[in-house]
Amino acid sequence: MRIAATIFLTDRTPSPVRIARVLEERGFDGLYLPEHTHIPVSRDTDAPMGGDLPEQYGRTLDPFVALAQAAAVTERLRLGTGITLVAQHDPIGLAKQVATLDHLSGGRLTLGIGYGWNVEEAADHGVEWGTRRELVRDRMALMRALWAPKPEGYIGEFGSVRASMAHPKPAQPPRELADGTPLHGPRTLIGGTPGPKLFTHITEFTDGWIPIGGRGLSETLPALRTVWERAGRDPKTLHVIPYAVQPTPGKLSHYADLGIEEVVVQLPSAGEAEVLRVLDEFAQYL
């Protein structure tokens, strides 16, 4: 099983360069980074884990800048976002960032995307909360048009782009949807609560799912696989990667029994000594 790691890198943690080098040296598969542009102090949205929101949410580094540093000092380490808040980005600019990072890293990028949980943060970006899922779907389609090998336009409900010269292209080759439509861009996974709408979006425009914490997969994974196959997608191409996991031997063995080949473990957003201590503890799973 391939083991990657995620961490809230902030202005108080080790640098992306240091973390990336340590992960690659120790044999970890990848580094995934979260995204929050800002956390409004006054908000009604509950923290996703309950209780007070940890300080690192408002201090996290920009994932694309940090992953570019990580890419520059590593050769094998995979790079990922966990997750990119697509609704909060201009899709033309985001398409350029994603393609550039995948190109410069030699195709090592996994684009983890999501719909977000912080209503106030999204509102400051002009996002209408009730339509954010449809907005994300629309923006992903627009970005795929820019990633296509030949100039291709897109007209959607929330945005459009003219057929354009847009380089570099992502290094990863396209995959095919059931109808033969090419899926351009890096490997793309959605994070979110399992359900019919999420599973439909997964089959329509991504390569799989990054379930946060990885709970309940015995029930939800068969349901996703059924939806995936009914949509005509090749079952061998579905990627499901439990994310931000606190690993135990039993938990990883259970994932393996379910056919899962990759896991992203959670590192503390802390100083170097504490991060290295946890990495030493997790080394038993490599």
Side-chain angles (χ1 to χ4, degrees):
M1 182 174 288
R2 297 188 294 277
I3 308 293
T6 184
I7 180 174
F8 275 87
L9 286 181
T10 76
D11 52 339
R12 294 178 174 175
T13 65
S15 71
V17 167
R18 176 63 173 150
I19 290 293
R21 283 174 169 161
V22 167
L23 288 172
E24 184 161 85
E25 289 167 0
R26 296 182 181 217
F28 286 85
D29 186 68
L31 170 63
Y32 285 70
L33 298 180
E35 176 183 51
H36 283 285
T37 53
H38 66 301
I39 299 293
V41 174
S42 176
R43 60 183 175 83
D44 296 322
T45 310
D46 292 333
M49 72 296 294
D52 295 332
L53 189 68
E55 184 184 30
Q56 63 258 26
Y57 278 76
R59 306 190 75 99
T60 187
L61 304 182
D62 178 274
F64 290 100
V65 175
L67 289 171
Q69 284 199 332
V73 297
T74 57
E75 296 181 356
R76 177 194 57 80
L77 192 73
R78 296 173 185 262
L79 314 163
T81 58
I83 50 79
T84 297
L85 297 165
V86 174
Q88 297 180 187
H89 285 268
D90 165 63
I92 298 174
L94 180 59
K96 175 71 77 172
Q97 287 178 283
V98 169
T100 299
L101 182 54
D102 197 51
H103 168 74
L104 292 177
S105 67
R108 288 187 277 157
L109 179 63
T110 292
L111 179 64
I113 66 172
Y115 306 114
W117 61 268
N118 191 324
V119 177
E120 290 79 15
E121 177 185 359
D124 284 348
H125 287 277
V127 176
E128 293 289 339
W129 193 249
T131 58
R132 72 193 188 285
R133 294 173 185 270
E134 290 71 25
L135 175 61
V136 168
R137 182 181 184 277
D138 193 67
R139 288 187 170 173
M140 290 302 302
L142 188 155
M143 291 196 293
R144 289 198 306 275
L146 291 169
W147 293 332
K150 296 181 180 179
E152 183 177 308
Y154 176 76
I155 299 175
E157 179 182 358
F158 298 94
S160 62
V161 67
R162 297 174 176 84
S164 304
M165 297 294 293
H167 293 268
K169 301 298 182 184
Q172 295 173 53
R175 289 75 66 202
E176 280 196 359
L177 298 176
D179 61 359
T181 301
L183 187 64
H184 298 292
R187 181 173 73 161
T188 302
L189 309 172
I190 300 183
T193 303
K197 181 172 284 190
L198 177 72
F199 288 173
T200 297
H201 282 183
I202 289 172
T203 63
E204 284 181 349
F205 61 89
T206 79
D207 301 285
W209 184 30
I210 46 172
I212 306 300
R215 295 179 181 175
L217 287 175
S218 295
E219 295 76 32
T220 56
L221 186 53
L224 172 58
R225 285 173 171 158
T226 297
V227 174
W228 183 269
E229 293 180 35
R230 283 177 179 170
R233 302 288 300 268
D234 183 349
K236 295 179 181 179
T237 65
L238 174 62
H239 297 253
V240 176
I241 304 176
Y243 186 81
V245 169
Q246 293 297 329
T248 66
K251 188 180 295 185
L252 297 187
S253 177
H254 174 61
Y255 291 157
D257 290 342
L258 293 173
I260 289 171
E261 299 178 345
E262 297 180 59
V263 172
V264 181
V265 297
Q266 179 72 63
L267 297 176
S269 183
E272 182 167 323
E274 176 64 9
V275 172
L276 294 181
R277 183 193 68 77
V278 175
L279 279 175
D280 287 339
E281 180 181 331
F282 289 172
Q284 65 181 297
Y285 303 116
L286 298 177

